[in-house]
Amino acid sequence: MKRALTLLSCTAALMLASAPLLAGGSIAAGKTKATTCFACHGVDGNAVDPQYPRLAGQYDEYLQQALHEYKDGRRNNPIMKGMAATLSNQDIEDIAAYFSSLPTKLDTLKGHIQGD
């Protein structure tokens, strides 16, 4: 009995500790929240204008980090700072989930690096 209670306690502790790791954004909610992003980055996340990054297929965590950095000023881009300023943490998770779920059309960096 004592062993079963110990095992149950350990399982509960692991579940509670891993909950933030399992939490994530909603792709469907992200698509709705990302509508203002589409003008520059495209509905499919594959911007055709080389001055705007392609977001499709990027790592979810990278997209979240970038949005947080625009929001708090660690990245200095006036347009993105304004766009990210009103986003909640959940908004950022959802938008990152949406763009990271999309297939990328970027197979090479040729023509996508300044100076190319």
Side-chain angles (χ1 to χ4, degrees), residues 39-80:
C40 298
H41 299 287
V43 176
D44 67 352
N46 288 291
V48 290
D49 188 330
Q51 71 176 319
Y52 303 115
R54 292 185 176 198
L55 304 179
Q58 291 284 353
Y59 292 109
D60 181 278
E61 292 83 7
Y62 168 75
L63 293 172
Q64 287 186 49
Q65 179 179 336
L67 286 170
H68 283 292
E69 289 174 355
Y70 285 123
K71 184 175 179 163
D72 68 22
R74 285 181 283 165
R75 288 188 184 211
N76 187 18
N77 179 290
I79 294 170
M80 283 305 301

Side-chain angles (χ1 to χ4, degrees), residues 14-25 60-61 64 93:
L14 283 172
M15 288 175 62
L16 287 173
S18 65
L21 298 175
L22 299 176
D60 181 278
E61 292 83 7
Q64 287 186 49
E93 288 179 16

